[in-house]
Amino acid sequence: MSDGSEPSRLAEKVREGELRLHELEDHTDSETAAAARRQLLEAETDAELETIGDFALDAEQATDANVENMVGAAQIPMGVVGPVQVAGGAADGEYYLPLATTEGALVASVNRGCSVIAGAGGADARVTKSGMTRAPVFRVGGIAEAEAVVSWVGENTERLREAAESTTSHGELLDVDTYVVGDSVFLRFVYDTKDAMGMNMATIATREAAQVVEDETAASLVALSGNLCSDKKPAAINAVEGRGRSVTADVKIPRETVEERLHTTPEAIEEANTRKNLVGSAKAGSLGFNAHAANVVAAAFLATGQDAAQVVEGSNAITTVEARDGVSASDASGGSSDESDGGLYASVSLASLEVGTVGGGTKLPTQSEALDVLGLRGGGDPAGSNADALAEIIAVGALAGELSLLAALASRHLSSAHEDLGR
Ligand SMILES: CC(C)(COP(=O)([O-])OP(=O)([O-])OC[C@H]1O[C@@H](n2cnc3c(N)ncnc32)[C@H](O)[C@@H]1OP(=O)([O-])[O-])[C@@H](O)C(=O)NCCC(=O)NCCSC(=O)C[C@@](C)(O)CC(=O)[O-]
Ligand SMILES: NC(=O)C1=CN([C@@H]2O[C@H](COP(=O)(O)OP(=O)(O)OC[C@H]3O[C@@H](n4cnc5c(N)ncnc54)[C@H](OP(=O)(O)O)[C@@H]3O)[C@@H](O)[C@H]2O)C=CC1
């Protein structure tokens, strides 16, 4: 880093039109470039950017792959919930889940849910489907040509696989789903992206495959993303077909635990879930039949370096709750322990949770430390197991949030909780 005059000199050059704002890193280190931009912004907006400029991350690393025109860093408070026992297909053990949020009462609520789940012996969780998608749109002459392209794709999936997989040592092409609308052909490529969330990987691989389609058929590529993917937009296709990881967590909680820890009954939580999450969501035309899965998904995404815009897909979740007779506490190994006099079964199924433990924002310092808390930094053994485990733990966090909020609503504690903790 240079002395204090260097940012002023660079800021002046930008002001005089000798340098563009985004070119500063070509002339200095990233930290100095960010300082120069802050000076410019401060002069032009009267804002003071002292705190934005007081960051601990490595500016070189951030500007390498995570941000352009860097001025500093946004800081979000991070809390932690747990420990909670997770018996998953990949996750196995007691976990603390870091959550970054500015919503008071959220961490307390999820923590309460985790303590209830822990008291019931833990939750089960499984990734039931996995596949990151990219769906280019091609122009054809009409439906006859569209049909010919679709047939060619069906007969040449192997060639497309070869082209796609030539760009990655980890990614595997699983499927190519075809859709036709008039003279538009959409090919929805589905990849196993292992421990990467996989959007860059899938996009680069699909570019190669799309080239083969263009070379061998009458189709002409219009856009490498044709929105049937569907990335970062509310879309039924993700809720139905899944995107990233489809993951479910569930738990059985004895009646006494519900009454003591959640101050309500299994029946009241079931009714709140039915009338709110199922009937209310249906009437609203919602894709998310849950209370606030997005809260946990967003906070876990921010803490662990996921792409925050994909909270849109992460909120495609259905919560089910049932008051059951003779319910047994989970024993966190898929079995059950002592029978009690009834209790609660609750589940959350997130259809399209897009997570990774390598790539994207996961490499940054606070984010990778948060992944360390989970024991999930970097690639798993076998590849994909770390991202599966992360999906399962977030699902259990979402389940904890659902339980706690539904209970707060059933016991009429929601507004007082937020009065006490959130303002
Ligand atoms: C606030 C509570 C938890 C109090 O709940 P309580 O049962 O009165 O609290 P408690 O003092 O008896 O503590 C119970 C447990 O909660 C946890 N807990 C308790 N306090 C803390 C704290 N400060 N920090 C960390 N953890 C805390 C902790 O696990 C504790 O157990 P312990 O460790 O003591 O044995 C409860 O009233 C609650 O969960 N309310 C619901 C709040 C909520 O879920 N907000 C979510 C956001 S709402 C929103 O964004 C979406 C919305 C609502 O618009 C969506 C929709 O339309 O539904
Ligand atoms: N391009 C786009 O259209 C979009 C991009 N994004 C952004 O994409 C980024 C995420 O893309 P993503 O592809 O996940 O990440 P990266 O682009 O950071 O690539 C991750 C790479 O890590 C390598 N890798 C090493 N170990 C593993 C492992 N165990 N499992 C899987 N891969 C491994 C792979 O290399 P190799 O392939 O050589 O094997 C993989 O391609 C985020 O920053 C996100 O914001 C988001 C939405 C759209």
Side-chain angles (χ1 to χ4, degrees):
M1 169 146 164
S2 61
D3 65 42
S5 62
E6 181 67 353
S8 309
R9 191 183 65 80
L10 289 164
E12 192 50 35
K13 280 188 172 254
V14 174
R15 231 175 261 118
E16 285 167 5
E18 287 175 40
L19 277 181
R20 292 185 187 190
L21 195 63
H22 65 81
E23 289 173 339
L24 292 174
E25 280 82 358
D26 297 342
H27 302 272
T28 186
D29 61 89
S30 298
E31 204 162 314
T32 308
R37 287 193 193 95
R38 285 197 301 280
Q39 283 203 7
L40 274 160
L41 267 188
E42 285 179 336
E44 289 189 22
T45 66
D46 281 340
E48 282 187 20
L49 305 183
E50 198 185 330
T51 318
I52 288 175
D54 186 13
F55 53 87
L57 57 78
D58 177 357
E60 296 296 335
Q61 186 190 14
T63 53
D64 179 45
N66 297 102
V67 73
E68 300 78 37
N69 265 353
M70 179 169 170
V71 293
Q75 298 173 43
I76 305 163
M78 193 186 299
V80 70
V81 297
V84 62
Q85 189 82 15
V86 180
D92 183 21
E94 281 199 340
Y95 295 92
Y96 287 99
L97 175 63
L99 297 175
T101 184
T102 55
E103 183 177 12
L106 176 62
V107 172
S109 177
V110 182
N111 201 32
R112 176 169 77 154
C114 284
S115 80
V116 169
I117 292 172
D124 289 324
R126 294 289 186 282
V127 171
T128 54
K129 194 173 179 185
S130 191
M132 179 45 77
T133 58
R134 184 45 101 200
V137 55
F138 297 85
R139 183 191 329 109
V140 291
I143 187 58
E145 228 167 71
E147 196 273 338
V149 172
V150 168
S151 297
W152 185 91
V153 168
E155 288 157 13
N156 291 277
T157 311
E158 214 37 59
R159 282 189 66 183
L160 296 178
R161 176 172 295 117
E162 221 171 272
E165 292 181 5
S166 70
T167 65
T168 168
S169 59
H170 285 84
E172 290 170 20
L173 181 64
L174 300 175
D175 230 331
V176 187
D177 299 326
T178 57
Y179 300 84
V180 174
V181 182
D183 60 357
S184 295
V185 175
F186 298 83
L187 303 180
R188 193 173 192 253
F189 289 77
V190 187
Y191 297 90
D192 179 352
T193 57
K194 308 295 179 188
D195 290 305
M197 177 275 280
M199 231 0 343
N200 278 341
M201 183 201 280
T203 303
I204 293 163
T206 302
R207 183 188 60 203
E208 290 302 305
Q211 186 62 57
V212 177
V213 175
E214 275 199 306
D215 290 347
E216 299 295 329
T217 74
S220 176
L221 181 69
V222 176
L224 191 50
S225 167
N227 272 13
L228 251 166
C229 315
S230 187
D231 197 39
K232 303 180 177 174
K233 273 85 62 178
I237 194 164
N238 295 331
V240 177
E241 291 297 324
R243 188 167 197 262
R245 263 88 179 165
S246 301
V247 57
T248 294
D250 70 3
V251 66
K252 292 169 200 141
I253 308 167
R255 175 176 296 277
E256 314 79 77
T257 310
V258 174
E259 290 175 352
E260 278 164 28
R261 305 283 299 165
L262 294 173
H263 320 304
T264 183
T265 61
E267 290 75 15
I269 297 183
E270 180 190 285
E271 182 179 12
N273 187 67
T274 303
R275 292 186 192 272
K276 169 190 171 62
N277 285 347
L278 305 186
V279 180
S281 299
K283 179 67 178 167
S286 180
L287 287 177
F289 285 62
N290 64 80
H292 68 143
N295 260 337
V296 175
V297 171
F301 272 30
L302 291 172
T304 62
Q306 312 303 316
D307 189 326
Q310 291 179 328
V311 174
V312 174
E313 291 90 295
S315 67
N316 283 336
I318 299 178
T319 299
T320 72
V321 174
E322 191 188 343
R324 286 186 180 172
D325 290 335
V327 94
S328 311
S330 306
D331 70 358
S333 63
S336 57
S337 59
D338 298 341
E339 287 266 318
S340 69
D341 63 341
L344 189 75
Y345 170 82
S347 76
V348 174
S349 296
L350 299 119
S352 40
L353 189 65
E354 296 145 336
V355 290
T357 58
V358 301
T362 66
K363 292 173 289 187
L364 292 169
T366 65
Q367 291 83 343
S368 52
E369 283 177 18
L371 285 168
D372 278 339
V373 170
L374 292 157
L376 297 175
R377 184 206 284 234
D381 183 16
S385 57
N386 272 4
D388 280 347
L390 180 59
E392 289 171 350
I393 297 164
I394 292 174
V396 172
L399 178 62
E402 292 295 279
L403 282 167
S404 184
L405 176 51
L406 284 170
L409 289 165
S411 60
R412 307 189 180 187
H413 282 160
L414 178 65
S415 56
S416 57
H418 283 259
E419 260 167 8
D420 291 348
L421 290 169
R423 58 189 313 199

